[in-house]
Amino acid sequence: MTRDARVAGGAAEDKTTEYLLAPDDAAAVDAWWRAANYLAVGQIYLMGNALLKRPLAEEDIKPRLLGHWGTSPGQNFLYAHLNHQIIQRNLDMIYLSGPGHGGPSLVAASWLEGTYSEVYSHVGTDARGVDELCRQFSFPGGIPSHVAPETPGSIHEGGELGYVLSHAYGAAFDNPDLIAVAVIGDGEAETAPLATAWHSNKFLDPQVDGTVLPILHLNGYKIANPTIFDRIPRQELESLLVGYGHKPYFFEGGFDDEDITNTHRRFARLLAQVLDEVVDIRARAADGRLTERARWPMIVFRTPKGWTGPQEVDGLPVENSWRSHQVPMSAVRGNEEYTRLLESWMHSYRPEELFGPEGRIMDLVAQNNPVGTRRMSANPHANGGLLTRDLDLPDFRDYGVDVPVPGGATVEATRVLGGWVADVVDRNRQTFRVFGPDETHSNRLGAAVEAGGKAWQAELLDTDVDLSRTGRVMEVLSEHQVQGWLEGYLLTGRHGLLNSYEAFIHIIDSMFNQHAKWLDSSRDIPWRVPVPSLNYLLSSHVWRQDHNGFSHQDPGFLDVVMNKTADVTRIYLPPDANTLLSTFDHVLRTRNYVNVVVAGKQPGPQWLTMDEAVLHCTRGIGIWDWAGSEEPGSKPDVVLGCAGDVPTMEAIAAARLLRERLPELKVRVVNVVDLMRLQDEREHPHGLSHRDFDALFTADRPVIFAFHGYPSLVHQLTYRRTNHHNIHVRGFKEKGTTTTPFDMLMLNDLDRYRLVIDAIDRVGLAERESSLRQEMLDSRVRARQHTRKHGQDLPEVTQWVVQDGDNTQGSGAPGSDTGGDNE
Amino acid sequence: MTRDARVAGGAAEDKTTEYLLAPDDAAAVDAWWRAANYLAVGQIYLMGNALLKRPLAEEDIKPRLLGHWGTSPGQNFLYAHLNHQIIQRNLDMIYLSGPGHGGPSLVAASWLEGTYSEVYSHVGTDARGVDELCRQFSFPGGIPSHVAPETPGSIHEGGELGYVLSHAYGAAFDNPDLIAVAVIGDGEAETAPLATAWHSNKFLDPQVDGTVLPILHLNGYKIANPTIFDRIPRQELESLLVGYGHKPYFFEGGFDDEDITNTHRRFARLLAQVLDEVVDIRARAADGRLTERARWPMIVFRTPKGWTGPQEVDGLPVENSWRSHQVPMSAVRGNEEYTRLLESWMHSYRPEELFGPEGRIMDLVAQNNPVGTRRMSANPHANGGLLTRDLDLPDFRDYGVDVPVPGGATVEATRVLGGWVADVVDRNRQTFRVFGPDETHSNRLGAAVEAGGKAWQAELLDTDVDLSRTGRVMEVLSEHQVQGWLEGYLLTGRHGLLNSYEAFIHIIDSMFNQHAKWLDSSRDIPWRVPVPSLNYLLSSHVWRQDHNGFSHQDPGFLDVVMNKTADVTRIYLPPDANTLLSTFDHVLRTRNYVNVVVAGKQPGPQWLTMDEAVLHCTRGIGIWDWAGSEEPGSKPDVVLGCAGDVPTMEAIAAARLLRERLPELKVRVVNVVDLMRLQDEREHPHGLSHRDFDALFTADRPVIFAFHGYPSLVHQLTYRRTNHHNIHVRGFKEKGTTTTPFDMLMLNDLDRYRLVIDAIDRVGLAERESSLRQEMLDSRVRARQHTRKHGQDLPEVTQWVVQDGDNTQGSGAPGSDTGGDNE
């Protein structure tokens, strides 16, 4: 393989004038690169004497070496050259570091650019600052060893791998002037999310959106293995990247004794060519000359792992080997040979040319720094809260459902929400997008799809519906992809919502985890301005996944969310359309949260007028007098709690049965919209005091709680409550069979008849009311026999109304389900 | 695009003799296809009169239409042709249906082959059987609408998408005679896991392993959108697949009025050519002529979505559109026009040529069925328990650590395990593999890597270590990929373990969920023979992720696991090396479970001799007398519970402090290996009775429980215990900073000093022992100050031994951590 750039499909484009890196600029780029490399090594190894004012002593060296060298020099090289182009062209550019351990590199870059000292005054720009910069790195009380919220200029955690390209696209959407550089590790390229993220280029509009420049950093090794991408024939890799829709440019450097100035010149030329091509694509798109999908350029950047580091340690090759993934020499402290090796390694960067007598960087280095917000470490897009503007939200009250009496209307809640979301899309065409894994229409947000169109840059046919080059709804069959896009979109300061079937949201558990942790860490970083919340709408939920069978059912995402810090997580279970509208109006106004909203898409009874819904959502929890049978001034005998649309319906149905059949039993119905209200106020900011909780649930009466998710979650939330031993939860069980909606409820003991039996038993009337119990048990048998024979639920269930004389209206009876378009 | 087959890279290979489908065979293939299509429609729509003995009436039609038509006819076409080749060549082949909703297709196939009636006697081979076959499909009390454990011949759930190719490779490993056909949906192809699964071909050895034949079913649409793969230029798709390392063959059928016999002939020719090429590759591999990585053939099979279904419904196109994804006409019942359309659709398959007067299939159809275990629906590989043989396990006792006194040795537990695993690999070279996402060496299983080698078919360099064409350790940087491979390997009856950093295992939460549900469903299917368990080793756990920072830490996989049925889930937290060995010996002998084992890789103190370890693991929980200060015959004042290696160390250290400083306080230490022991015996088969639980933890004494994971999990497990209000758990909190091991513990209030304070407080001695409390608080401050200054923990912590005079030996002091090679 020649080290010259090769362009897919043959020769470089003729029209591109070759860019020549001037000698002065080459010297500056090289000095900047050496300085960054020097600081990367210093951060990993040193806790003092970072500028080598004296020979390294034992106490200068960290006792625990926890950083990673391997990826740093290559990334420093890229950063140096990107800086040069930013200066030349006044580019608006951000840098996303995909390889897990770019920490030393990106921290060094932001310090060299001065940003680090601006946001962390204790890490100055002088020698003491250099010492502190090195000491704090992966040190107790310091900063993580990977790129993190603490790193200026970053919107991408260097923890779990695979999301850098999706994040870069999310950043580029609706930012036409931005270039998001995504450096992809060749280990990272093996991950599943990264492997599909390449296809993002079918969703980026070269007129409305910005540019993503993927740079595949091919340095050959992972923790302990070579990478696939480095060990397939070059032609195969090229074919793959062309197949992903890109025009790849190949670069190699560092594998021979080429003069480094020449290496810089070659890369500068290639980078300039790539950026010229970007300009050309954008120009052609702007004036309509781009008639087919853009084939965006990208770079394959092949350099040795641990480039410029020690060639060998203990007789084993280190540079260009997995042995330089972490630290070339470990246990340096107290090892004289290693200490001298480290010293000469650091001297090889000629620090005397880089740092002045007071430790400040020399002009030669500074010359390669862009200024102000053109510095990638200070670009406001990477601190997106700076750019966030509130959404222009239509008044959700105008979209509500008329509910003459509780139960007096039947609608698909998410379809009602869709009408409002459509107008949110329409009013915020530069700052709001809807994301979904091919389920947006199925989840009844069709109005939003019609209003915004679905983004699509691939081939269009006459028969297509709602696809659009400038679509505002982002759909692809990958939860990872849409989650990654949305994260990038939010972290650069815009707004969005992600809708998914509840069952499949577990696919991005770990992405949620990492984003929640990012938000949580950001709260403690004063210069990070809060960004819009990550809003989930989970529909096609477990109680109406009846035709998809056992494998699809799992409400456990709520449990995953609960494990994250209360400071950033919110869970809402609006029981009907008006409460759903009110909830979403709220969550779209919040910052720095993850809001999870669970709501069904099937026709369901409506309970609250809009005014009642606003009040109920504001409280987050409340007694529904009309559903119970309490008398003023006396305590209830039993409380029926409920959270979730379907459990609420069953609790209300159970309350009605009790009202009719045991009128002397005083029943209270408590509905929960904001699940965190169940928690102690000391555990969650939304938590209720014990006094308030007891006022709702009593301190000593049995509580039968009908819950959307796994019962253990309610137990966990109410663990500290006075009455917690008397809270009996019915929720989702792991039961597998094909059912109808009511059969599904019976299978989980969450049906109205079972709740009635629970109430009877828990208040101690099991013996006295044995005939009523028997009747309830018989009702269940009858209901099941009916479904087994007819394939649908009993009319008395599907046509159930909350009270006689209800004027039920709308698009179907509660609990009916004629079809279902779950995937 | 011409409809003729095109081969990547130009002309078809000259040496291949063109296969000609004989007219009789073409008629049989076509009849079989029509029969399968007919039955697919029947399953979706009908609950009676499935053979159309009389005109369809309202009561014949299901009230809820919950199946999916779109993918079925294409898959039926493939199945019919694969059957023909199986018959011609006596192939050992299984079929994995990737598209989510192949249920009607695969159920029809297994019924046509007779397998269905063999395993489900109530679904006979006659007309009554056909009626029942149709009625039960996605019907209450019946079978799911997708491919499921209930479907004979399947090892792949048609639920969540993206895993079919990984599953197929898992099935093919170590099965040299098997061809695993993986039909990939073009929607599915957009998912992240599928996008990287193509690279599996770099890990399959053509000598030792079988063949995977990927067939990309390009039918153009998902739920509500076109697919990316169908809307990129054909050349781009070809480039992508070539880049993935395959030789793609393209086929198109059904888009014009070609005579169907010709379509069959064209596909038969292409399939024969592909299979010839497979034979050729295998032959060249066998005799050493294959000097480079095999470029396996694959097929791009482009047919209209909903092929042979209604062209239009209500004036809108349905065939070849997303509108045929689910059901071409919904709400058929009671709709006369739709009913007649359905009838004529079904008649278009000419059922009179397919089913005899008694409803049995005609000879023409049966002629295309392979016989016995050559039927893909009856292939034993797809019911892997049939082929499972016990592992030949070396006696783990021989690999144990000598522990003269508790705390009297220090080792890396997983390294000790690695020695035993190495010999398991060595003794079971056809039936056991180790899987890991580039972390096996880091997790200290290096001995297993050396013993087995790491599978690698891509380029090899002289400098590579342990890579091998026939490696037994499977490593790629994708948790999805290794999980998918292992699932396929297990479901075809072999054994394995997956090792991962604990923090990253959340990546496959949803894959775990689906596999656990598969196992759970399988338990209720008598003909499914239990398969080896899915065994996880989670190392680099949260308590020693100190250098990787906040983003990496999460012990919540245990919570995800706990939500699944007790019948299939097991969680073990062995506190040292000997208990880890004993645990792994056990889990590798089990069937149909998911076993999660959490164990650290850093040097840690050893507590139990091998005999004690075996006893302790057999009980799963027990009192450690030597660690406590009880007196015979009297109750303890306080119980220190512990689960997990690091929490155990802290609990023992706390017990020692209490013994020294408050000798009159009677402390009991209870260690838990098998976490499910904490549960009620009615909730989990491993659960303890209340009597046994109370005997360990007392019914009324305070319990301070030091736990590896989130505290809520222990509360959840012990919720029903007598003493549960008095169980106080210290576990993982969401706290972010960079720490040392002990700092990390203090940050989470799980350190020995905090536990001592907890014990003092909970037994009511806070006032009396205020000076001891103060001393403990001071110790924490001192410990933190030391780390902040020196970057490592206090010597009194790192060099702590359980009791004076301990003869601590081994590879480092407990709690020491000189490096760390976490990714």
Side-chain angles (χ1 to χ4, degrees), chain B residues 165-180:
Chain B
L165 203 43
S166 304
H167 284 169
Y169 276 91
F173 293 142
D174 294 319
N175 270 329
D177 298 326
L178 182 66
I179 302 179

Side-chain angles (χ1 to χ4, degrees), chain A residues 101 218 222 240 253 319 373 408 513 619 763:
Chain A
H101 297 286
L218 203 65
K222 299 173 291 200
L240 181 66
E319 195 199 50
T373 56
N513 273 344
R619 285 192 307 236
V763 295

Side-chain angles (χ1 to χ4, degrees), chain B residues 243-314:
Chain B
Y244 274 133
H246 276 289
K247 181 171 174 185
Y249 288 78
F250 285 81
F251 180 84
E252 273 191 17
F255 290 101
D256 53 25
D257 56 0
E258 180 188 30
D259 177 75
I260 194 67
T261 304
N262 200 47
T263 312
H264 285 306
R265 279 204 200 103
R266 285 195 298 114
F267 190 74
R269 191 165 62 220
L270 179 133
L271 183 58
Q273 186 180 353
V274 164
L275 291 170
D276 286 344
E277 202 163 311
V278 167
V279 170
D280 180 60
I281 289 173
R282 302 199 66 88
R284 285 190 290 136
D287 61 17
R289 282 179 295 136
L290 190 71
T291 52
E292 52 182 21
R293 202 184 82 230
R295 294 191 71 84
W296 294 96
M298 61 157 292
I299 296 171
V300 179
F301 180 69
R302 184 160 181 261
T303 58
K305 187 146 195 166
W307 190 12
T308 73
Q311 297 289 313
E312 282 193 359
V313 175
D314 300 331

